[in-house]
Amino acid sequence: MKILVLGSGGREHALAWKLARSPGVSVFAAPGNPGIAKVGTCLPVVAGASYLEIAEAIGADLTVVGPEAPLVAGVVDAFRAHGRKIVGPDRRAAQLEGSKVFAKNFFAQSNISTAEFVTVENETDARKALDRFGFPVVLKADGLAAGKGVIVAHDRNTAEAALGTLKGRLVIEEFLRGEEVSFIALCDGRDVVPLAPTQDHKAVFDGDTGPNTGGMGAYCDGAILTEAQTREILDGVIYPTVEAMRFTGFLYAGLMMTAAGPKVLEFNVRLGDPETQPLMHRMASDFLPALMAAASGELAGVKLEWRSGPSVCVVLASGGYPGAYETGKAIREIDAAEATGATVFHAGTRMGAAGLETAGGRVLGVTAAGDDLAGAIDGAYEAVRRVAFEGMHYRTDIGRKGLERYNRKTVGT
Ligand code: AMP
Ligand code: GLY
């Protein structure tokens, strides 16, 4: 069976790595990356050619879409029109990620709990909204912005500066307090299979300080949510959305677990990056049957099993990221890192004349499992310390919030 993965980052490497373990599967990726090339065949994406043409050329039995851009552009509609199986939402449902205004209006209409908000079209209305909400306040650009369209302003000066950089239509909303959780469910338009909960680390520096990034690390651990919280999210957020939009593919709810219950910060219509790295690492089941079932409207009764120990992924980023950074730095000692038992997923790498080199802001996702969260964290950082490239930086506190949660529970019981 031929499975095509669309995309070229760490999320796609983790997916390809997992699918390559399914019996009888050949993995293809377009365009892929040097990590994916170790488990499958990378196909160049030639200007002017479509993903559908690539899938037809290789006779793909199933295509899984990594990033949001092709979904928002309607890749799923195009595949379905030609009878090709694909995992992802149609163009209409992809607007839940493609437009913050569309998503917020959808939450309001569907009674999905989210931060209080207003939509503004110009600076005058934006200033009025700032007066209404006070500080801190959150400003969000309407369209896709690769993780950079959201600014949390703690004071008026920061908010004013944000109005200068975030152009066009904005959502301005109430600042929510609590712990963030990424909740991702595989959907077939009616039925839903939740993946295990994960926690991302969006800010660039330790202690959640510095500007937001695409994600500096994530861990996957069943203990992030109680069963009651999972039920509340499924009933209050996931099922109403799947029903209203006949949602197919991965529905990712970015949630704030507030004192008043879970509230949606954002929807993504795809797997998270880096959440997918610890998710694929920790998943015990063969993933292919679930993906096939999702693409065929046959998810009812499907279950996914997870290893009991958590998995932790630490992102190694280029010097300067999420600001400007240089590429082309030689990457050393990935084999030594993997010799510790960790798995190194490639995010922004390429093969240069002298071997593997950096090609993006987020370069690698070093991922390890453990019997418990402390063990998984130690395993990931032991491997991280063996990798090197010029300018490399990473957070040293991935998973720490999870450890604090255990400590609170142990002290309290
Ligand atoms: P988003 O792209 O909407 O998920 O926003 C990116 C990040 O900004 C989130 O992961 C949160 O850390 C933060 N954020 C967004 N909206 C809010 C909010 N209403 N209150 C507090 N933090 C927020
Ligand atoms: N890690 C956050 C995202 O994938 O949007």
Side-chain angles (χ1 to χ4, degrees):
M1 185 164 302
K2 292 179 177 171
I3 312 296
L4 174 63
V5 175
L6 304 187
S8 63
R11 165 182 49 212
E12 290 78 19
H13 184 190
L15 258 175
W17 172 86
K18 178 68 184 165
L19 287 169
R21 301 176 158 214
S22 297
V25 161
S26 306
V27 176
F28 294 80
N33 69 35
I36 298 175
K38 290 196 282 182
V39 296
T41 308
C42 295
L43 305 166
V45 179
V46 190
S50 68
Y51 287 125
L52 179 62
E53 285 165 338
I54 296 174
E56 300 209 311
I58 61 164
D61 297 289
L62 180 71
T63 299
V64 186
V65 188
E68 59 278 17
L71 296 167
V72 172
V75 72
V76 169
D77 311 62
F79 271 59
R80 286 193 185 139
H82 287 78
R84 284 232 166 246
K85 281 198 186 342
I86 186 162
V87 179
D90 60 22
R91 187 205 303 247
R92 186 178 74 101
Q95 288 181 83
L96 287 170
E97 174 164 2
S99 165
K100 298 267 189 206
V101 173
F102 179 88
K104 293 295 288 194
N105 289 335
F106 174 76
F107 301 151
Q109 280 155 23
S110 314
N111 264 329
I112 292 174
S113 193
T114 186
E116 292 284 322
F117 73 102
V118 293
T119 304
V120 297
E121 306 281 346
N122 56 50
E123 282 202 35
T124 318
D125 290 349
R127 291 214 168 74
K128 277 191 209 142
L130 295 180
D131 291 336
R132 169 176 160 197
F133 283 108
F135 299 95
V137 70
V138 185
L139 299 95
K140 302 186 174 184
D142 184 33
L144 288 182
K148 292 181 186 165
V150 175
I151 294 180
V152 177
H154 287 273
D155 51 54
R156 184 165 286 275
N157 281 347
T158 319
E160 292 280 343
L163 291 182
T165 53
L166 302 175
K167 292 288 178 210
R169 201 191 233 196
L170 302 182
V171 168
I172 298 191
E173 68 178 32
E174 166 201 16
F175 177 79
L176 298 174
R177 284 168 216 278
E179 220 182 297
E180 273 187 72
V181 175
S182 303
F183 191 95
I184 305 174
L186 179 60
C187 314
D188 72 352
R190 186 185 53 217
D191 289 294
V192 158
V193 178
L195 306 189
T198 49
Q199 206 161 38
D200 188 13
H201 297 66
K202 292 235 169 85
V204 66
F205 300 128
D206 283 10
D208 292 334
T209 56
N212 268 349
T213 69
M216 292 297 288
Y219 68 101
C220 177
D221 181 358
I224 292 172
L225 293 174
T226 64
E227 258 178 57
Q229 286 172 318
T230 302
R231 199 67 260 163
E232 201 178 350
I233 294 164
L234 284 171
D235 291 342
V237 179
I238 304 294
Y239 279 114
T241 306
V242 172
E243 196 172 313
M245 305 289 276
R246 295 189 190 287
F247 191 94
T248 55
F250 294 101
L251 180 59
Y252 166 140
L255 300 161
M256 190 69 92
M257 304 305 291
T258 74
K263 295 194 181 207
V264 179
L265 295 176
E266 64 161 347
F267 267 170
N268 294 318
V269 298
R270 50 166 176 81
L271 284 162
D273 189 341
E275 288 92 330
T276 304
Q277 289 82 316
L279 275 167
M280 294 303 115
H281 200 257
R282 185 167 169 250
M283 186 184 290
S285 309
D286 182 350
F287 201 18
L288 181 62
L291 292 172
M292 268 296 181
S296 316
E298 294 166 1
L299 263 187
V302 172
K303 283 210 161 48
L304 291 170
E305 303 292 333
W306 305 86
R307 274 184 268 283
S308 61
S311 287
V312 172
C313 169
V314 178
V315 169
L316 306 183
S318 292
Y321 174 80
Y325 54 82
E326 290 177 7
T327 58
K329 309 293 182 194
I331 303 172
R332 293 182 299 276
E333 304 300 350
I334 289 188
D335 290 346
E338 292 203 314
T340 67
T343 304
V344 178
F345 293 117
H346 291 227
T349 70
R350 66 178 175 229
M351 290 308 292
L356 192 70
E357 56 183 43
T358 64
R362 295 187 293 172
V363 178
L364 299 168
V366 179
T367 309
D371 292 336
D372 57 16
L373 185 56
I377 293 170
D378 286 349
Y381 281 106
E382 189 191 336
V384 162
R385 283 190 289 274
R386 303 193 180 200
V387 184
F389 56 86
E390 193 189 313
M392 167 175 129
H393 74 96
Y394 58 89
R395 277 182 63 159
T396 67
D397 63 351
I398 303 302
R400 190 174 295 164
K401 264 190 222 143
L403 290 181
E404 286 164 6
R405 191 178 322 107
Y406 282 120
N407 292 339
R408 275 200 306 275
K409 282 201 180 132
T410 319
V411 170
T413 49

